[in-house]
PDB file of all heavy atoms in Angstrom:
ATOM      1  N   ILE A 142     -14.931  -2.606 -14.151  1.00 98.00           N
ATOM      2  CA  ILE A 142     -16.363  -2.880 -14.270  1.00 98.00           C
ATOM      3  C   ILE A 142     -16.797  -3.390 -12.955  1.00 98.00           C
ATOM      4  O   ILE A 142     -16.622  -4.604 -12.601  1.00 98.00           O
ATOM      5  CB  ILE A 142     -16.640  -3.845 -15.417  1.00 98.00           C
ATOM      6  CG1 ILE A 142     -16.199  -3.296 -16.802  1.00 98.00           C
ATOM      7  CG2 ILE A 142     -18.073  -4.239 -15.475  1.00 98.00           C
ATOM      8  CD1 ILE A 142     -14.841  -3.656 -17.219  1.00 98.00           C
ATOM      9  N   ASP A 143     -17.475  -2.549 -12.124  1.00 96.00           N
ATOM     10  CA  ASP A 143     -17.995  -2.915 -10.872  1.00 96.00           C
ATOM     11  C   ASP A 143     -19.340  -3.553 -11.014  1.00 96.00           C
ATOM     12  O   ASP A 143     -20.058  -3.278 -11.946  1.00 96.00           O
ATOM     13  CB  ASP A 143     -17.994  -1.652  -9.940  1.00 96.00           C
ATOM     14  CG  ASP A 143     -18.077  -2.065  -8.457  1.00 96.00           C
ATOM     15  OD1 ASP A 143     -17.865  -3.225  -8.147  1.00 96.00           O
ATOM     16  OD2 ASP A 143     -18.404  -1.174  -7.610  1.00 96.00           O
ATOM     17  N   GLU A 144     -19.716  -4.370 -10.044  1.00 93.00           N
ATOM     18  CA  GLU A 144     -21.054  -5.131 -10.142  1.00 93.00           C
ATOM     19  C   GLU A 144     -21.102  -5.726 -11.526  1.00 93.00           C
ATOM     20  O   GLU A 144     -22.121  -5.626 -12.237  1.00 93.00           O
ATOM     21  CB  GLU A 144     -22.184  -4.108  -9.943  1.00 93.00           C
ATOM     22  CG  GLU A 144     -22.209  -3.450  -8.570  1.00 93.00           C
ATOM     23  CD  GLU A 144     -22.444  -4.387  -7.386  1.00 93.00           C
ATOM     24  OE1 GLU A 144     -23.051  -5.449  -7.599  1.00 93.00           O
ATOM     25  OE2 GLU A 144     -22.076  -4.027  -6.261  1.00 93.00           O
ATOM     26  N   ALA A 145     -20.096  -6.414 -11.857  1.00 95.00           N
ATOM     27  CA  ALA A 145     -19.864  -6.982 -13.249  1.00 95.00           C
ATOM     28  C   ALA A 145     -20.954  -7.949 -13.657  1.00 95.00           C
ATOM     29  O   ALA A 145     -21.358  -8.038 -14.828  1.00 95.00           O
ATOM     30  CB  ALA A 145     -18.523  -7.670 -13.327  1.00 95.00           C
ATOM     31  N   ASP A 146     -21.547  -8.717 -12.759  1.00 92.00           N
ATOM     32  CA  ASP A 146     -22.575  -9.695 -13.096  1.00 92.00           C
ATOM     33  C   ASP A 146     -23.835  -8.924 -13.593  1.00 92.00           C
ATOM     34  O   ASP A 146     -24.576  -9.492 -14.358  1.00 92.00           O
ATOM     35  CB  ASP A 146     -22.934 -10.581 -11.885  1.00 92.00           C
ATOM     36  CG  ASP A 146     -23.406  -9.783 -10.688  1.00 92.00           C
ATOM     37  OD1 ASP A 146     -23.047  -8.661 -10.474  1.00 92.00           O
ATOM     38  OD2 ASP A 146     -24.202 -10.346  -9.893  1.00 92.00           O
ATOM     39  N   ASP A 147     -23.995  -7.710 -13.166  1.00 91.00           N
ATOM     40  CA  ASP A 147     -25.182  -6.930 -13.578  1.00 91.00           C
ATOM     41  C   ASP A 147     -24.808  -6.128 -14.885  1.00 91.00           C
ATOM     42  O   ASP A 147     -25.620  -6.110 -15.811  1.00 91.00           O
ATOM     43  CB  ASP A 147     -25.496  -5.909 -12.441  1.00 91.00           C
ATOM     44  CG  ASP A 147     -26.771  -5.101 -12.750  1.00 91.00           C
ATOM     45  OD1 ASP A 147     -27.561  -5.620 -13.538  1.00 91.00           O
ATOM     46  OD2 ASP A 147     -26.951  -3.986 -12.267  1.00 91.00           O
ATOM     47  N   LEU A 148     -23.622  -5.554 -14.929  1.00 94.00           N
ATOM     48  CA  LEU A 148     -23.277  -4.701 -16.111  1.00 94.00           C
ATOM     49  C   LEU A 148     -23.001  -5.619 -17.374  1.00 94.00           C
ATOM     50  O   LEU A 148     -23.058  -5.118 -18.479  1.00 94.00           O
ATOM     51  CB  LEU A 148     -22.037  -3.916 -15.774  1.00 94.00           C
ATOM     52  CG  LEU A 148     -22.234  -2.685 -14.880  1.00 94.00           C
ATOM     53  CD1 LEU A 148     -20.962  -1.888 -14.706  1.00 94.00           C
ATOM     54  CD2 LEU A 148     -23.382  -1.776 -15.418  1.00 94.00           C
ATOM     55  N   LEU A 149     -22.692  -6.914 -17.146  1.00 95.00           N
ATOM     56  CA  LEU A 149     -22.452  -7.773 -18.305  1.00 95.00           C
ATOM     57  C   LEU A 149     -23.688  -8.642 -18.495  1.00 95.00           C
ATOM     58  O   LEU A 149     -23.504  -9.811 -18.867  1.00 95.00           O
ATOM     59  CB  LEU A 149     -21.193  -8.659 -18.029  1.00 95.00           C
ATOM     60  CG  LEU A 149     -19.840  -7.821 -17.934  1.00 95.00           C
ATOM     61  CD1 LEU A 149     -18.720  -8.805 -17.674  1.00 95.00           C
ATOM     62  CD2 LEU A 149     -19.611  -6.992 -19.181  1.00 95.00           C
ATOM     63  N   ALA A 150     -24.809  -8.077 -18.358  1.00 89.00           N
ATOM     64  CA  ALA A 150     -26.068  -8.818 -18.602  1.00 89.00           C
ATOM     65  C   ALA A 150     -26.982  -7.926 -19.589  1.00 89.00           C
ATOM     66  O   ALA A 150     -26.934  -6.707 -19.579  1.00 89.00           O
ATOM     67  CB  ALA A 150     -26.867  -9.022 -17.323  1.00 89.00           C
ATOM     68  N   ASP A 151     -27.789  -8.610 -20.373  1.00 86.00           N
ATOM     69  CA  ASP A 151     -28.755  -7.966 -21.256  1.00 86.00           C
ATOM     70  C   ASP A 151     -28.130  -6.928 -22.120  1.00 86.00           C
ATOM     71  O   ASP A 151     -26.965  -7.086 -22.670  1.00 86.00           O
ATOM     72  CB  ASP A 151     -29.890  -7.426 -20.378  1.00 86.00           C
ATOM     73  CG  ASP A 151     -30.533  -8.486 -19.532  1.00 86.00           C
ATOM     74  OD1 ASP A 151     -30.625  -9.604 -19.986  1.00 86.00           O
ATOM     75  OD2 ASP A 151     -30.868  -8.158 -18.374  1.00 86.00           O
TER      76      ASP A 151
END
Side-chain angles (χ1 to χ4, degrees):
I142 295 94
D143 199 13
E144 301 292 338
D146 60 331
D147 187 24
L148 288 183
L149 296 180
D151 304 323

